[in-house]
Amino acid sequence: MATAAAASASEAEAEPKAGPKAEGEEEEAKAARTRRKVFSRAVAAATYKTVGPEWEQQEEGVSESDGDEEYAMASSAESSPGEYEWEYDEEEEKNQLEIERLEEQLSINVYDYNCHVDLIRLLRLEGELTKVRMARQKMSEIFPLTEELWLEWLHDEISMALDGLDREHVYELFEKAVKDYICPNIWLEYGQYSVGGIGQKGGLEKVRSVFERALSSVGLHMTKGLAIWEAYREFESAIVEAARPIAGFLSPFDREQTFDSQLEKVHSLFRRQLAIPLYDMEATFAEYEEWSEDPIPEAVIQNYNKALQQLEKYKPYEEALLQAEAPRLAEYQAYIDFEMKMGDPARIQLVFERALVENCLVPDLWIRYSQYLDQQLKVKDVVLSVHSRAVRNCPWTVALWSRYLLAMERHGVDHRMISVTFEKALSAGFIQATDYVEIWQAYLDYLRRRVDFKQDSSKELEELRSAFSRALEYLKQEVEERFSESGDPSCLIMQNWARIEARLCNNMQKARELWDSIMTKGNAKYANMWLEYYNLERAHGDTQHCRKALHRAVQCTSDYPEHVCEVLLTMERTEGTLEDWDIAIQKTETRLARVNEQRIKAAEKEAALAQQEEEKVEQRKRARAEKKALKKKKKARGADKRGADEDDEREWGDEEEEQPYKRRKVENSIPPSGEAAPGLAADPGLSGRSAAAAAEPPSEQREQRAAARRRDAARVPHDSSKDGVTVFVSNLPYGLGEPAAALRPLFEACGDVAEVRPIFSNRGDFRGYCYVEFKEEAAAARALGLDRQSVEGRPMFVSPCVDKSKHPDFKVFRYSTALEKHKLFVSGLPFSCTKEELEDICKAHGTVKDIRLVTNRAGKPKGLAYVEYENESQASQAVLKMDGMTIKENVIKVAISNPPQRKVPEKPEARKAAGGTMVPRQIYGARGKGRTQLSLLPRALQRPSATAAQAENGPAPPPAGATPAATEAPKMSNADFAKLLLRKYPLFQGALLVYSYGSLCIRITTRISATSHLV
């Protein structure tokens, strides 16, 4: 609406559009008419001041306050939602309680952005003008305000402005508003409001100053800068048109000084605008041709054509921004890269500012912007302003505070201001303990650069030492209390202090005290710490203290003792006496022997653990193989019942090799109604089962026939050449009927589906996974977005189709496993907690972008969740307030998402101890042979092994001339075993024994009569 008001400033007599339909449109039209009237009167007053008293005002009643009052009316009509009736009811009491709660919360944590916004909204609703002004002031000191918040504040203040002092206060607010972000609408409001004060002293100069600053700030904005140019040009044109009637009555000198100079201002604005690439330049050029009485100069036309050519280069980036959705960070990054190549500082600064309006909470963008200004522009006011805004937008980012301190020192800011900025950084609420160490180091470096070490003592040196002491105390108390760690395990601050004392202050005694303190904090076991101390003593101490430090290092170092021993021996070889050499040799040999012994024990322990782990893996493999073989036996047992009679007539010795089981069709196993299977009528039990099978409902029979068709269907091998257009779908319900028909509509939403190949077992049962082949790779890529979608209550897993044999390290995990400061990990949730309930709890602490409840493969919740916030600040606040909260009698734990690194299992050959071999695996498991592990070989066939008997007292030597292959027992097939058993025990000729060593089971079928029975 502000743009529309500016565009209509020269059309004061234009009629509004006919009859708006809604009440809001009527109010907007009324506000626009009021603004046009204000603008016309203000221009008339400016013309009177410009031309002089010769021009008589044609419109009476113009005063300095008329513009203010009517502008205030327009602003009030635009910003005020309506008339409120203030009644003390329950809602108002509720608002008062909420206001008190928000104020108390802000007293605890002043960096709660949403709390500030809610408090301002409620205070404004309650009409607490003084309190809402104070609340806005406090918030603006901590955070930069958005364009909406500033415009609301400015409209409220404009509506309450009564005199010149109030106008100056509004001017100050406008100055603060334009410094937070680049906002063309605020600049436009600023210019139009300054027009209302044109009747005051210096009012005309004020208006022109505001518009000129607006042009320098947003005049290059290709989409929104046009409104500023038009408003400024129409203001100057209105003055020209108002002065034109009396121009003929002026003397030539007065005409040149007033009218002609004003006319030249309009010409200048047209020429400046046409030289800048802006949208809708053609209309501006046509307007200039129509307005100008003289032909347009050739230089202006050339600049205009050049700007059009530049516009074509910028259009792709502007169109990308128009087509994308906020925050459009990637599009802005590409735009910034393009402007950096072009090298225009003004345009580079503008595109950075435009990107930050929508991405003000992206620290990397602020860092890149400030780095460019520090290295290229180097203008103090601009650089410090950007650094200040950066830490106000992202106070949790320590890198921005460190850069701010460096920039302030670089531009010679007063020491007191730098110290105040550092104190603000300490209270910013970093989310890692190491961040506090980094900001302390940056401040201590600054203090060290202030000290003149040529003097024995100075105020700056005492301040530096005091700051070091305070830093150590702060990390010990404040940081450890919050994070359970100091953030400085290597004592970098103390090391820096010790170096300064030794090298710059020549105070080795203080440096030794600091290093003693460093070693007592758990650093004595690291060789690099001792060598750092040794090098300091070597450079600034004496040989005696060097020797003492190395002797202590030899006794304490556990990571690289050989290196420390080598340094000690080198020093004694160069500077020590024979006695010193002997002592060093004795200590180093003793220490290294003890270290080698410890390493051997550790290696043996590691090998034992590796062996146990490998045994567990082998046991699991055997268990799976036995289970699989047992299932096959059970299946074959039912299939071979009727074929047993025919097999009984055979002699066992005639079998040359074990015949594989042949499949029977399911249709043959289900006899027709009223018939019984042959060979089973004599057995009542079996005939009963047959009758039950015959009585199965038709639906189950159809399922069995479908399973039989799937079982007997030809197996289609997977074509790896189509992996690019194929996705692998798993974790599907096993009872999914007709998987291909059920899944095809789901995946056809992603593109044309060529084939859906579900995988079935040998029995025809669906195995819970399938392959979906598309006709295009883009469709397969879109199908990955269906991952975790629920199918009949189970989350469906969709992943790329990759051959694991060719790519063994390929793993698909869609979620990040790195530290994410804007995401929380919540544990201990009740299983009944829903996503909506958790969102209601979390959104009270910030804007929740996504919530993911962790489930198992069956889709059941595990009591874990990941909550993603809009920025790191909101996430850190949520951790402080939600950790330890009780939800449905469950105490939850909340932390920043930082998943532990997954342990990659080592290969067996990598686990072997150095120079040794691994212990052979036990045959019966880690605890020996159990009671239930029976030997199924008859005792008479068991022969004691001489090799095994001699192995108790040592390895038995092989027979002379025997080869390793000859010493092994020959492997027998089932047929060979049957022949051997018949020769040894002829009594078993009437029995059929089938022995299976793999599944550890025996099936014996004895022929008693003509009817076969299962024993």
Side-chain angles (χ1 to χ4, degrees), residues 943-960 967:
R943 293 289 184 268
S945 175
T947 303
Q950 294 180 6
E952 296 179 359
N953 298 324
T967 59

Side-chain angles (χ1 to χ4, degrees), residues 534 538 543 547 566-577 581:
Y534 165 74
R538 191 77 173 171
T543 304
R547 182 176 290 110
E566 183 181 355
V567 173
L568 175 60
L569 295 177
T570 302
M571 189 193 75
E572 297 299 354
R573 181 180 287 110
T574 306
E575 303 179 13
T577 62
W581 174 261

Side-chain angles (χ1 to χ4, degrees), residues 898-919:
N898 188 14
Q901 296 294 329
R902 295 176 178 266
K903 294 183 179 180
V904 180
E906 299 179 358
K907 296 182 179 180
E909 56 269 16
R911 299 174 179 171
K912 297 181 180 180
T917 59
M918 296 189 65
V919 181

Side-chain angles (χ1 to χ4, degrees), residues 392-516:
R392 292 173 65 200
N393 278 278
C394 305
W396 62 88
T397 307
V398 68
L400 294 175
W401 288 102
S402 301
R403 289 176 174 273
Y404 191 14
L405 294 177
L406 289 174
M408 295 177 76
E409 180 185 4
R410 191 178 295 116
H411 292 281
V413 178
D414 183 65
H415 170 62
R416 184 179 59 85
M417 294 298 298
I418 297 179
S419 299
V420 170
T421 303
F422 169 71
E423 296 297 333
K424 290 181 180 179
L426 288 181
S427 61
F430 300 129
I431 58 179
Q432 286 185 340
T434 53
D435 293 344
Y436 288 94
V437 178
E438 183 176 346
I439 193 63
W440 269 110
Q441 285 182 328
Y443 184 59
L444 292 170
D445 292 344
Y446 157 71
L447 293 179
R448 193 266 307 165
R449 288 189 286 267
R450 295 182 66 243
V451 179
D452 184 7
F453 290 100
K454 296 180 180 179
Q455 302 179 7
D456 294 337
S457 179
S458 62
K459 179 181 178 181
E460 289 78 8
L461 179 58
E462 295 302 322
E463 184 179 2
L464 175 61
R465 287 172 172 166
S466 176
F468 269 114
S469 300
R470 184 191 166 199
L472 299 178
E473 192 69 19
Y474 186 89
L475 294 178
K476 182 179 180 181
Q477 293 182 356
E478 301 291 337
V479 179
E480 284 190 7
E481 181 180 354
R482 179 180 174 187
F483 299 98
S484 300
E485 60 169 330
S486 66
D488 191 13
S490 300
C491 301
L492 297 178
I493 292 180
M494 294 182 69
Q495 290 188 44
N496 189 23
W497 190 4
R499 294 189 195 97
I500 291 174
E501 293 289 351
R503 297 175 182 176
L504 302 178
C505 300
N506 298 321
N507 189 356
M508 275 303 300
Q509 183 61 32
K510 181 63 177 178
R512 294 185 184 112
E513 293 176 1
L514 291 171
W515 270 105
D516 287 340

Side-chain angles (χ1 to χ4, degrees), residues 256-281:
E256 182 180 356
Q257 293 293 323
T258 57
F259 183 78
D260 293 345
S261 63
Q262 183 64 32
L263 198 63
E264 181 61 28
K265 286 184 174 64
V266 180
H267 278 285
S268 176
L269 286 175
F270 268 116
R271 294 166 185 170
R272 290 166 59 189
Q273 181 179 350
L274 291 174
I276 297 174
L278 296 173
Y279 272 23
D280 204 15
M281 292 185 63

